Amino acid sequence: MALSTVLETPGAGFNFENATRNAALEGLFGGGQTPKPLKTGTTIAGVVFKDGVVLGADTRATSSEVVADKMCAKIHYISPNIYCCGAGTAADTEKTTDLLSSNLSIFSLNSGRNPRVVMAVNILQDMLYRYHGQIGANLILGGVDCTGNHLYTVGPYGDINKVPYLAMGSGDLAALGILEDGFKHNLELEEAKELVRASIHAGIMSDLGSGNNTDICVITKQGVDYIRPYQESEYKDKRNIKYRYRPGTTPVLTEKVVTLKLEVVQEAVQKMDTA
Amino acid sequence: MFRLYLSTQADIRAYEKESVRKKVTMNSRGLRSQLKDSVPVAGLCPQGAYGVQDSLRSGFTSVKNELLPSHPLELSEKNFQLNQDKINFSTLRNIQGLHAPLKLQMEYRAARQIQRLPFLPSSNLALDTLRGSDECIGFEDILCDPGQSEVMGEPHMMVEYKLGLL
């Protein structure tokens, strides 16, 4: 149905038509009752060790005070040699990392090379600065490329920091305490995994927004080992009964079956050239 | 290691409550510079004959809605491509002299004219290749794809609007 009020095709990208309406609606709610976006109040950590990078994350996603997802995947795939942990608004981290991954795969198809971690960081910086922090994504990028093992953090405004060990999210203070105490340069693989596990565990124990299981991702020159979950939490709720209702619990009043009669009108066979 | 956030959660909540109370929705300090050179935007200027608001098509007027954008990113996003081009061309002019941006802008103008009729989606293939955006994916390729929009304009009116006959 063609509308006579539309005089130009709407532009692609973000659409701010409803911004005034939303601001007015928020005023109506009297502050504090609008639905909050799904945040990953989180603990994420990363450590550079001798042969690569270890990334760790908890698996709880919260929506204000409710745990929305107990097994949320916070370590996102960017490219075969780069993975990214995301804290902040869940949708923002997902979409931003997806876009980054698509851009990097176009680049590797064009040039035939594995992307470097600095390239991923620069793309993220440009993208996040353009939106002036409105995209709430705090990311830890870790990867191995031809220049070595790298660990970067990118904030929502596009500020970056390159460090050998790192923690982000609401549980970062607790995790950072463990990392500061136990970090040494050129750790072995098992020591690095244990250090990251201990730091995420500290974050889970001390922060309300982090919890449930721990995921670990080890990136080395040989490949990636994504262990999900690395450590399951001891506090798992055991449901006593099943909440599945038997068929027949709700009485069926009437039933009407209409058969959809389809007849073959035309059939055309096209041979595919698979030479 | 440094802390990236200097305000606690309590501060952020207090600020939000205060701004709702004072009806402050955005910081309009830097707007003047953005509004000054911006390309006139159809949503922010009154449509219709004689520059008067066309109530039938666009609803009732509100001076605030027309002068100030409602979201901090609205203006900068509308003019983003233009500003990027300006920055790139001025840098190119400073490095290589006037001829370089002149030649490139001639090509851009030619590529920009390859469009279909207003109500049909144009691929902008030549323009994308010149800009280098055929090898990038951004939010403008994923969100609000014009090929999948829910509303469709009346073809005759769109052509008349484009030609200025409306």
Side-chain angles (χ1 to χ4, degrees):
Chain A
M1 193 58 215
L3 288 181
S4 56
T5 50
V6 176
L7 292 173
E8 276 180 336
T9 41
F14 286 108
N15 190 344
F16 298 103
E17 275 172 9
N18 290 332
T20 19
R21 179 203 73 170
N22 293 345
L25 279 179
E26 234 171 276
L28 279 181
F29 275 117
Q33 284 173 31
T34 47
K36 293 271 182 297
L38 183 67
K39 285 177 104 22
T40 52
T42 297
T43 310
I44 47 180
V47 159
V48 172
F49 72 103
K50 195 171 73 174
D51 305 318
V53 177
V54 178
L55 297 171
D58 71 309
T59 56
R60 172 181 291 183
T62 54
S63 164
S64 348
E65 296 88 32
V66 180
V67 174
D69 192 353
K70 292 193 281 271
M71 196 57 185
C72 146
K74 297 187 190 175
I75 307 187
H76 310 282
Y77 165 85
I78 305 278
S79 82
N81 56 330
I82 305 176
Y83 274 70
C84 171
C85 307
T89 312
D92 288 346
T93 55
E94 281 267 356
K95 260 293 179 276
T96 317
T97 46
D98 273 350
L99 273 180
L100 178 64
S101 164
S102 309
N103 275 324
L104 286 181
S105 59
I106 293 181
F107 164 77
S108 9
L109 286 169
N110 259 337
S111 62
R113 300 180 178 162
N114 257 346
R116 296 193 190 180
V117 187
V118 270
M119 181 176 181
V121 170
N122 283 336
I123 294 178
L124 265 183
Q125 248 192 320
D126 289 338
M127 203 190 295
L128 291 176
Y129 183 69
R130 174 176 169 175
Y131 296 104
H132 292 278
Q134 301 279 341
I135 297 188
N138 303 305
L139 307 166
I140 293 188
L141 267 146
V144 175
D145 58 28
C146 54
T147 51
N149 319 321
H150 305 283
L151 188 67
Y152 285 89
T153 170
V154 186
Y157 275 87
D159 52 310
I160 62 170
N161 202 8
K162 180 176 182 347
V163 272
Y165 61 91
L166 197 47
M168 294 280 274
S170 52
D172 61 350
L173 286 177
L176 216 41
I178 303 286
L179 284 175
E180 296 260 0
D181 191 38
F183 178 78
K184 285 189 281 291
H185 283 287
N186 291 332
L187 284 168
E188 293 298 324
L189 171 63
E190 287 308 316
E191 293 171 355
K193 269 163 61 171
E194 175 52 33
L195 183 63
V196 172
R197 186 211 61 80
S199 67
I200 303 284
H201 187 73
I204 288 177
M205 285 294 139
S206 323
D207 177 45
L208 289 179
S210 323
N212 302 94
N213 312 325
T214 310
D215 291 343
I216 294 258
C217 181
V218 181
I219 312 171
T220 52
K221 234 189 205 120
Q222 285 78 37
V224 172
D225 191 15
Y226 190 165
I227 313 167
R228 176 173 153 82
Y230 184 70
Q231 179 191 39
E232 297 209 333
S233 88
E234 308 93 62
Y235 309 103
K236 284 169 75 138
D237 55 346
K238 289 191 230 320
R239 301 277 159 95
N240 291 325
I241 52 175
K242 286 209 180 321
Y243 288 99
R244 209 168 268 259
Y245 295 104
R246 303 172 287 109
T249 319
T250 359
V252 177
L253 294 178
T254 49
E255 192 177 310
K256 178 175 170 191
V257 177
V258 174
T259 46
L260 194 61
K261 279 195 272 289
L262 296 169
E263 43 177 271
V264 180
V265 172
Q266 191 194 41
E267 193 178 310
V269 176
Q270 198 174 45
K271 274 213 162 66
M272 195 165 72
D273 186 13
T274 51
Chain B
M1 276 307 290
F2 59 91
R3 289 287 290 157
L4 291 171
Y5 316 101
L6 297 174
S7 57
T8 60
Q9 281 296 91
D11 286 342
I12 295 175
R13 271 199 294 276
Y15 171 69
E16 279 174 7
K17 219 190 291 192
E18 281 298 302
S19 15
V20 165
R21 200 168 58 86
K22 288 192 218 156
K23 303 225 186 340
V24 163
T25 44
M26 55 174 279
N27 180 14
S28 46
R29 217 163 45 126
L31 267 188
R32 174 99 215 281
S33 53
Q34 284 181 330
L35 277 173
K36 205 166 43 145
D37 310 315
S38 69
V39 173
V41 152
L44 290 186
C45 298
Q47 299 170 1
Y50 315 114
V52 176
Q53 180 73 356
D54 200 348
S55 299
L56 187 64
R57 289 219 190 88
S58 339
F60 292 116
T61 52
S62 157
V63 174
K64 179 162 155 267
N65 276 348
E66 287 184 23
L67 287 179
L68 290 179
S70 44
H71 194 272
L73 283 182
E74 193 171 339
L75 271 182
S76 82
E77 276 300 296
K78 278 227 151 75
N79 301 327
F80 184 74
Q81 200 50 56
L82 275 152
N83 287 336
Q84 280 291 98
D85 288 344
K86 263 193 232 177
I87 295 171
N88 290 337
F89 282 136
S90 80
T91 317
L92 196 57
R93 178 188 179 158
N94 290 334
I95 297 176
Q96 294 189 12
L98 187 57
H99 73 99
L102 273 184
K103 284 186 184 154
L104 279 180
Q105 275 185 324
M106 183 186 76
E107 292 179 24
Y108 273 63
R109 254 173 222 258
R112 211 174 292 144
Q113 290 177 3
I114 311 170
Q115 297 267 323
R116 301 183 71 184
L117 286 172
F119 48 90
L120 295 170
S122 333
S123 69
N124 289 325
L125 187 59
L127 198 56
D128 277 349
T129 314
L130 276 177
R131 277 209 186 105
S133 57
D134 60 340
E135 291 174 348
C136 296
I137 297 184
F139 285 111
E140 55 272 359
D141 298 305
I142 302 177
L143 301 173
C144 289
D145 191 12
Q148 296 181 3
S149 77
E150 299 160 343
V151 294
M152 183 181 121
E154 236 281 289
H156 298 288
M157 301 186 56
M158 291 177 85
V159 175
E160 284 174 21
Y161 179 74
K162 179 90 186 291
L163 295 175
L165 301 171
L166 196 62

